[in-house]
Amino acid sequence: MKTLAMLTGGGDCPGLNAVIRAVTRRAIAEQFNVLGFRNGWAGVIRADYIPLTRERVTGILHQGGTILGTSRTNPTDEQLDMITKNLKGLGVDVLVAIGGDDTLTVASRLHQRGQAVIGVPKTIDNDIFGTEQTFGFDTAVNIATEAIDRLHTTAESHSRVLVVEIMGRQAGWIALAAGVAGGADLVLLPEFPQNIDAICEVVKRRQAAGKNFSIVAVAEGFQLEGIEFTQSDKEDSFGHVRLGGIGESLCKIIEKRTGIESRAVVLGHVQRGGTPTAYDRLLGTRYGVKAVDLALAGQSGKMVALKAGEIVGVDLDTVVHEVPDKQTGAMKLRVKNRTVPKDLYDVAKVFFG
Ligand code: F6P
């Protein structure tokens, strides 16, 4: 009997349990023994796992989070040796790594060492190169859109500017989609830095037209042109700075410059919480089934991906590239980023002001 193991790494994300269930159900049907490592790569390093049976994955499809737990663990080279040793010791024939850019980077490093691994792209940020959509994004967009809808009430009633800070580190997909769907008056993304004059101009133009309120949707990674804005000095093990605070900073400047009372709302982890949408359950399920199909076909070193409506396998090697480490300058692997294209941002711009 062959053994398939899986793990979930990085931030929690709606739809993770749909993937775990799909991988387990499909693999068991194909006579695999199935294991789930606890808390991402940390679980593989410690050989901390649970058997995944049909009973264990019953009733989890609609649940947020991950029944396996997660962590932001970036294994050292020695820990990668330990991972390989543990996988061998447990008789794991193929490892399914469900995660975002960090988890998939580690999966790619393992693949380059000869380990059979298949990646499943997860992140609410929707910024993974090689796929047209990650699961979790749709749920986050719906949560953020509903928040913007609700914030219109206070903005209009109190004649305020409401700045909504939305997740999105290097890419502003959620802010873009929720901003357009929720009718935000200005959408600010990491991909398109702007200066404060242009931002305040939009608010003032609305004021001059008799609209004494504005909704500004800003992605957490947005950069104000000409202003070096440090959000935090805390970094995770992958070197990512903890973001948060751009909304509050923008809000203060807008109020000072326009004279309109302004407030900031940070949606934060609410965007990752709760039950996944039907779309994310379906996408996660399709990804999970395809991951096992690839394993059955002996096609490791792949990431499942959405391309023109179909679920396909793309080479993990094409999803990553080498970049210099911020601290040491040494080259290291990273998943390439998929950012919001200008033509899509131009659609949002039609509704600015
Ligand atoms: O899942 C990606 C993401 O949502 C980013 O947009 C955000 O910066 C990050 O996770 C924050 O995650 P945490 O607070 O769990 O470290």
PDB file of all heavy atoms in Angstrom, residues 6 16-28 57 60-61 281 284-290 292:
ATOM      1  N   MET A   6       0.105  14.840   3.788  1.00  0.00           N
ATOM      2  CA  MET A   6      -0.147  16.252   3.421  1.00  0.00           C
ATOM      3  C   MET A   6       0.093  17.149   4.623  1.00  0.00           C
ATOM      4  O   MET A   6       0.161  16.692   5.775  1.00  0.00           O
ATOM      5  CB  MET A   6      -1.554  16.424   2.858  1.00  0.00           C
ATOM      6  CG  MET A   6      -2.656  16.351   3.870  1.00  0.00           C
ATOM      7  SD  MET A   6      -4.264  16.434   3.055  1.00  0.00           S
ATOM      8  CE  MET A   6      -4.717  14.705   3.053  1.00  0.00           C
ATOM      9  N   LEU A  16      -9.277  25.356   3.130  1.00  0.00           N
ATOM     10  CA  LEU A  16      -8.219  24.373   3.437  1.00  0.00           C
ATOM     11  C   LEU A  16      -8.823  23.006   3.745  1.00  0.00           C
ATOM     12  O   LEU A  16      -8.329  21.972   3.282  1.00  0.00           O
ATOM     13  CB  LEU A  16      -7.388  24.847   4.635  1.00  0.00           C
ATOM     14  CG  LEU A  16      -6.262  25.837   4.318  1.00  0.00           C
ATOM     15  CD1 LEU A  16      -5.722  26.471   5.590  1.00  0.00           C
ATOM     16  CD2 LEU A  16      -5.141  25.157   3.544  1.00  0.00           C
ATOM     17  N   ASN A  17      -9.898  23.012   4.538  1.00  0.00           N
ATOM     18  CA  ASN A  17     -10.490  21.716   4.906  1.00  0.00           C
ATOM     19  C   ASN A  17     -11.129  21.018   3.708  1.00  0.00           C
ATOM     20  O   ASN A  17     -11.168  19.787   3.655  1.00  0.00           O
ATOM     21  CB  ASN A  17     -11.513  21.907   6.033  1.00  0.00           C
ATOM     22  CG  ASN A  17     -10.813  22.179   7.358  1.00  0.00           C
ATOM     23  OD1 ASN A  17      -9.732  21.651   7.609  1.00  0.00           O
ATOM     24  ND2 ASN A  17     -11.421  23.011   8.191  1.00  0.00           N
ATOM     25  N   ALA A  18     -11.604  21.816   2.744  1.00  0.00           N
ATOM     26  CA  ALA A  18     -12.159  21.212   1.521  1.00  0.00           C
ATOM     27  C   ALA A  18     -11.055  20.469   0.769  1.00  0.00           C
ATOM     28  O   ALA A  18     -11.280  19.377   0.225  1.00  0.00           O
ATOM     29  CB  ALA A  18     -12.763  22.300   0.629  1.00  0.00           C
ATOM     30  N   VAL A  19      -9.841  21.048   0.753  1.00  0.00           N
ATOM     31  CA  VAL A  19      -8.720  20.392   0.065  1.00  0.00           C
ATOM     32  C   VAL A  19      -8.330  19.116   0.831  1.00  0.00           C
ATOM     33  O   VAL A  19      -8.146  18.048   0.228  1.00  0.00           O
ATOM     34  CB  VAL A  19      -7.496  21.332  -0.064  1.00  0.00           C
ATOM     35  CG1 VAL A  19      -6.359  20.633  -0.810  1.00  0.00           C
ATOM     36  CG2 VAL A  19      -7.870  22.631  -0.762  1.00  0.00           C
ATOM     37  N   ILE A  20      -8.211  19.249   2.162  1.00  0.00           N
ATOM     38  CA  ILE A  20      -7.806  18.082   2.980  1.00  0.00           C
ATOM     39  C   ILE A  20      -8.796  16.932   2.764  1.00  0.00           C
ATOM     40  O   ILE A  20      -8.403  15.775   2.561  1.00  0.00           O
ATOM     41  CB  ILE A  20      -7.757  18.473   4.483  1.00  0.00           C
ATOM     42  CG1 ILE A  20      -6.647  19.508   4.733  1.00  0.00           C
ATOM     43  CG2 ILE A  20      -7.571  17.240   5.369  1.00  0.00           C
ATOM     44  CD1 ILE A  20      -6.700  20.162   6.115  1.00  0.00           C
ATOM     45  N   ARG A  21     -10.075  17.272   2.777  1.00  0.00           N
ATOM     46  CA  ARG A  21     -11.117  16.246   2.584  1.00  0.00           C
ATOM     47  C   ARG A  21     -11.004  15.608   1.201  1.00  0.00           C
ATOM     48  O   ARG A  21     -11.063  14.374   1.057  1.00  0.00           O
ATOM     49  CB  ARG A  21     -12.491  16.893   2.767  1.00  0.00           C
ATOM     50  CG  ARG A  21     -13.677  16.048   2.359  1.00  0.00           C
ATOM     51  CD  ARG A  21     -14.942  16.853   2.626  1.00  0.00           C
ATOM     52  NE  ARG A  21     -16.155  16.196   2.174  1.00  0.00           N
ATOM     53  CZ  ARG A  21     -16.698  16.367   0.973  1.00  0.00           C
ATOM     54  NH1 ARG A  21     -16.077  17.137   0.071  1.00  0.00           N
ATOM     55  NH2 ARG A  21     -17.836  15.769   0.650  1.00  0.00           N
ATOM     56  N   ALA A  22     -10.821  16.455   0.170  1.00  0.00           N
ATOM     57  CA  ALA A  22     -10.777  15.936  -1.202  1.00  0.00           C
ATOM     58  C   ALA A  22      -9.563  15.036  -1.414  1.00  0.00           C
ATOM     59  O   ALA A  22      -9.676  13.949  -1.996  1.00  0.00           O
ATOM     60  CB  ALA A  22     -10.751  17.104  -2.191  1.00  0.00           C
ATOM     61  N   VAL A  23      -8.401  15.484  -0.916  1.00  0.00           N
ATOM     62  CA  VAL A  23      -7.177  14.671  -1.075  1.00  0.00           C
ATOM     63  C   VAL A  23      -7.387  13.327  -0.362  1.00  0.00           C
ATOM     64  O   VAL A  23      -7.106  12.258  -0.919  1.00  0.00           O
ATOM     65  CB  VAL A  23      -5.936  15.408  -0.508  1.00  0.00           C
ATOM     66  CG1 VAL A  23      -4.712  14.491  -0.487  1.00  0.00           C
ATOM     67  CG2 VAL A  23      -5.626  16.665  -1.328  1.00  0.00           C
ATOM     68  N   THR A  24      -7.902  13.400   0.866  1.00  0.00           N
ATOM     69  CA  THR A  24      -8.083  12.174   1.654  1.00  0.00           C
ATOM     70  C   THR A  24      -9.062  11.208   0.982  1.00  0.00           C
ATOM     71  O   THR A  24      -8.761  10.010   0.803  1.00  0.00           O
ATOM     72  CB  THR A  24      -8.588  12.525   3.082  1.00  0.00           C
ATOM     73  OG1 THR A  24      -7.686  13.464   3.661  1.00  0.00           O
ATOM     74  CG2 THR A  24      -8.686  11.297   3.960  1.00  0.00           C
ATOM     75  N   ARG A  25     -10.217  11.738   0.586  1.00  0.00           N
ATOM     76  CA  ARG A  25     -11.242  10.863  -0.004  1.00  0.00           C
ATOM     77  C   ARG A  25     -10.745  10.213  -1.297  1.00  0.00           C
ATOM     78  O   ARG A  25     -10.914   9.015  -1.517  1.00  0.00           O
ATOM     79  CB  ARG A  25     -12.519  11.670  -0.289  1.00  0.00           C
ATOM     80  CG  ARG A  25     -13.284  12.117   0.953  1.00  0.00           C
ATOM     81  CD  ARG A  25     -14.111  10.990   1.569  1.00  0.00           C
ATOM     82  NE  ARG A  25     -15.110  10.469   0.664  1.00  0.00           N
ATOM     83  CZ  ARG A  25     -16.374  10.856   0.616  1.00  0.00           C
ATOM     84  NH1 ARG A  25     -16.795  11.801   1.448  1.00  0.00           N
ATOM     85  NH2 ARG A  25     -17.236  10.316  -0.225  1.00  0.00           N
ATOM     86  N   ARG A  26     -10.131  11.022  -2.135  1.00  0.00           N
ATOM     87  CA  ARG A  26      -9.666  10.490  -3.436  1.00  0.00           C
ATOM     88  C   ARG A  26      -8.509   9.500  -3.224  1.00  0.00           C
ATOM     89  O   ARG A  26      -8.458   8.459  -3.875  1.00  0.00           O
ATOM     90  CB  ARG A  26      -9.205  11.664  -4.317  1.00  0.00           C
ATOM     91  CG  ARG A  26      -8.618  11.270  -5.642  1.00  0.00           C
ATOM     92  CD  ARG A  26      -9.690  11.160  -6.718  1.00  0.00           C
ATOM     93  NE  ARG A  26      -9.091  10.989  -8.036  1.00  0.00           N
ATOM     94  CZ  ARG A  26      -9.210   9.869  -8.745  1.00  0.00           C
ATOM     95  NH1 ARG A  26      -9.895   8.858  -8.284  1.00  0.00           N
ATOM     96  NH2 ARG A  26      -8.654   9.780  -9.946  1.00  0.00           N
ATOM     97  N   ALA A  27      -7.620   9.826  -2.298  1.00  0.00           N
ATOM     98  CA  ALA A  27      -6.458   8.949  -2.077  1.00  0.00           C
ATOM     99  C   ALA A  27      -6.898   7.615  -1.448  1.00  0.00           C
ATOM    100  O   ALA A  27      -6.414   6.552  -1.852  1.00  0.00           O
ATOM    101  CB  ALA A  27      -5.437   9.648  -1.190  1.00  0.00           C
ATOM    102  N   ILE A  28      -7.825   7.689  -0.491  1.00  0.00           N
ATOM    103  CA  ILE A  28      -8.300   6.437   0.137  1.00  0.00           C
ATOM    104  C   ILE A  28      -8.983   5.560  -0.924  1.00  0.00           C
ATOM    105  O   ILE A  28      -8.782   4.343  -0.963  1.00  0.00           O
ATOM    106  CB  ILE A  28      -9.247   6.739   1.324  1.00  0.00           C
ATOM    107  CG1 ILE A  28      -8.445   7.293   2.509  1.00  0.00           C
ATOM    108  CG2 ILE A  28     -10.025   5.488   1.732  1.00  0.00           C
ATOM    109  CD1 ILE A  28      -9.281   7.767   3.680  1.00  0.00           C
ATOM    110  N   VAL A  57     -12.319  13.099   8.149  1.00  0.00           N
ATOM    111  CA  VAL A  57     -12.585  14.240   7.264  1.00  0.00           C
ATOM    112  C   VAL A  57     -14.087  14.437   7.000  1.00  0.00           C
ATOM    113  O   VAL A  57     -14.474  15.235   6.154  1.00  0.00           O
ATOM    114  CB  VAL A  57     -11.799  14.141   5.926  1.00  0.00           C
ATOM    115  CG1 VAL A  57     -10.301  14.144   6.193  1.00  0.00           C
ATOM    116  CG2 VAL A  57     -12.223  12.935   5.099  1.00  0.00           C
ATOM    117  N   ILE A  60     -16.209  18.378   7.611  1.00  0.00           N
ATOM    118  CA  ILE A  60     -15.271  19.515   7.688  1.00  0.00           C
ATOM    119  C   ILE A  60     -15.348  20.448   6.472  1.00  0.00           C
ATOM    120  O   ILE A  60     -14.741  21.516   6.482  1.00  0.00           O
ATOM    121  CB  ILE A  60     -13.801  19.052   7.862  1.00  0.00           C
ATOM    122  CG1 ILE A  60     -13.305  18.282   6.636  1.00  0.00           C
ATOM    123  CG2 ILE A  60     -13.643  18.220   9.125  1.00  0.00           C
ATOM    124  CD1 ILE A  60     -11.790  18.028   6.631  1.00  0.00           C
ATOM    125  N   LEU A  61     -16.083  20.031   5.449  1.00  0.00           N
ATOM    126  CA  LEU A  61     -16.093  20.773   4.181  1.00  0.00           C
ATOM    127  C   LEU A  61     -16.425  22.255   4.361  1.00  0.00           C
ATOM    128  O   LEU A  61     -15.825  23.124   3.742  1.00  0.00           O
ATOM    129  CB  LEU A  61     -17.107  20.112   3.230  1.00  0.00           C
ATOM    130  CG  LEU A  61     -17.324  20.739   1.862  1.00  0.00           C
ATOM    131  CD1 LEU A  61     -16.050  20.772   1.048  1.00  0.00           C
ATOM    132  CD2 LEU A  61     -18.408  19.963   1.111  1.00  0.00           C
ATOM    133  N   ARG A 281     -15.063  26.188  -1.830  1.00  0.00           N
ATOM    134  CA  ARG A 281     -15.181  24.745  -1.525  1.00  0.00           C
ATOM    135  C   ARG A 281     -15.003  23.928  -2.801  1.00  0.00           C
ATOM    136  O   ARG A 281     -14.346  22.889  -2.804  1.00  0.00           O
ATOM    137  CB  ARG A 281     -16.564  24.438  -0.933  1.00  0.00           C
ATOM    138  CG  ARG A 281     -16.799  25.104   0.396  1.00  0.00           C
ATOM    139  CD  ARG A 281     -18.157  24.731   0.927  1.00  0.00           C
ATOM    140  NE  ARG A 281     -18.665  25.791   1.785  1.00  0.00           N
ATOM    141  CZ  ARG A 281     -19.783  25.719   2.466  1.00  0.00           C
ATOM    142  NH1 ARG A 281     -20.530  24.641   2.395  1.00  0.00           N
ATOM    143  NH2 ARG A 281     -20.176  26.715   3.221  1.00  0.00           N
ATOM    144  N   GLY A 284     -11.275  24.288  -4.035  1.00  0.00           N
ATOM    145  CA  GLY A 284     -10.418  23.484  -3.149  1.00  0.00           C
ATOM    146  C   GLY A 284     -10.598  21.996  -3.415  1.00  0.00           C
ATOM    147  O   GLY A 284      -9.632  21.224  -3.441  1.00  0.00           O
ATOM    148  N   THR A 285     -11.839  21.586  -3.636  1.00  0.00           N
ATOM    149  CA  THR A 285     -12.134  20.175  -3.918  1.00  0.00           C
ATOM    150  C   THR A 285     -11.496  19.748  -5.247  1.00  0.00           C
ATOM    151  O   THR A 285     -10.865  18.689  -5.339  1.00  0.00           O
ATOM    152  CB  THR A 285     -13.671  19.954  -3.958  1.00  0.00           C
ATOM    153  OG1 THR A 285     -14.197  20.296  -2.675  1.00  0.00           O
ATOM    154  CG2 THR A 285     -14.031  18.519  -4.297  1.00  0.00           C
ATOM    155  N   ARG A 286     -11.632  20.595  -6.254  1.00  0.00           N
ATOM    156  CA  ARG A 286     -11.044  20.259  -7.568  1.00  0.00           C
ATOM    157  C   ARG A 286      -9.514  20.185  -7.456  1.00  0.00           C
ATOM    158  O   ARG A 286      -8.881  19.297  -8.034  1.00  0.00           O
ATOM    159  CB  ARG A 286     -11.445  21.306  -8.619  1.00  0.00           C
ATOM    160  CG  ARG A 286     -12.929  21.286  -8.952  1.00  0.00           C
ATOM    161  CD  ARG A 286     -13.271  22.382  -9.946  1.00  0.00           C
ATOM    162  NE  ARG A 286     -12.881  22.058 -11.314  1.00  0.00           N
ATOM    163  CZ  ARG A 286     -12.763  22.962 -12.291  1.00  0.00           C
ATOM    164  NH1 ARG A 286     -12.980  24.238 -12.045  1.00  0.00           N
ATOM    165  NH2 ARG A 286     -12.425  22.597 -13.501  1.00  0.00           N
ATOM    166  N   TYR A 287      -8.922  21.115  -6.714  1.00  0.00           N
ATOM    167  CA  TYR A 287      -7.465  21.099  -6.519  1.00  0.00           C
ATOM    168  C   TYR A 287      -7.035  19.805  -5.813  1.00  0.00           C
ATOM    169  O   TYR A 287      -6.046  19.184  -6.181  1.00  0.00           O
ATOM    170  CB  TYR A 287      -7.030  22.302  -5.675  1.00  0.00           C
ATOM    171  CG  TYR A 287      -6.814  23.597  -6.431  1.00  0.00           C
ATOM    172  CD1 TYR A 287      -6.735  24.812  -5.741  1.00  0.00           C
ATOM    173  CD2 TYR A 287      -6.671  23.629  -7.811  1.00  0.00           C
ATOM    174  CE1 TYR A 287      -6.523  26.007  -6.408  1.00  0.00           C
ATOM    175  CE2 TYR A 287      -6.460  24.822  -8.492  1.00  0.00           C
ATOM    176  CZ  TYR A 287      -6.382  26.009  -7.791  1.00  0.00           C
ATOM    177  OH  TYR A 287      -6.169  27.183  -8.451  1.00  0.00           O
ATOM    178  N   GLY A 288      -7.778  19.437  -4.772  1.00  0.00           N
ATOM    179  CA  GLY A 288      -7.411  18.246  -3.995  1.00  0.00           C
ATOM    180  C   GLY A 288      -7.469  16.979  -4.835  1.00  0.00           C
ATOM    181  O   GLY A 288      -6.559  16.137  -4.791  1.00  0.00           O
ATOM    182  N   VAL A 289      -8.541  16.852  -5.620  1.00  0.00           N
ATOM    183  CA  VAL A 289      -8.692  15.662  -6.473  1.00  0.00           C
ATOM    184  C   VAL A 289      -7.561  15.615  -7.508  1.00  0.00           C
ATOM    185  O   VAL A 289      -6.941  14.578  -7.747  1.00  0.00           O
ATOM    186  CB  VAL A 289     -10.091  15.647  -7.143  1.00  0.00           C
ATOM    187  CG1 VAL A 289     -10.165  14.587  -8.239  1.00  0.00           C
ATOM    188  CG2 VAL A 289     -11.179  15.418  -6.099  1.00  0.00           C
ATOM    189  N   LYS A 290      -7.259  16.791  -8.092  1.00  0.00           N
ATOM    190  CA  LYS A 290      -6.208  16.836  -9.122  1.00  0.00           C
ATOM    191  C   LYS A 290      -4.834  16.490  -8.523  1.00  0.00           C
ATOM    192  O   LYS A 290      -4.017  15.822  -9.177  1.00  0.00           O
ATOM    193  CB  LYS A 290      -6.161  18.232  -9.760  1.00  0.00           C
ATOM    194  CG  LYS A 290      -5.162  18.375 -10.881  1.00  0.00           C
ATOM    195  CD  LYS A 290      -5.578  17.587 -12.117  1.00  0.00           C
ATOM    196  CE  LYS A 290      -4.567  17.714 -13.242  1.00  0.00           C
ATOM    197  NZ  LYS A 290      -4.986  17.021 -14.455  1.00  0.00           N
ATOM    198  N   VAL A 292      -4.175  14.380  -6.222  1.00  0.00           N
ATOM    199  CA  VAL A 292      -4.057  12.910  -6.150  1.00  0.00           C
ATOM    200  C   VAL A 292      -3.933  12.317  -7.558  1.00  0.00           C
ATOM    201  O   VAL A 292      -3.163  11.373  -7.773  1.00  0.00           O
ATOM    202  CB  VAL A 292      -5.239  12.291  -5.364  1.00  0.00           C
ATOM    203  CG1 VAL A 292      -5.126  10.771  -5.311  1.00  0.00           C
ATOM    204  CG2 VAL A 292      -5.298  12.869  -3.951  1.00  0.00           C
TER     205      VAL A 292
END
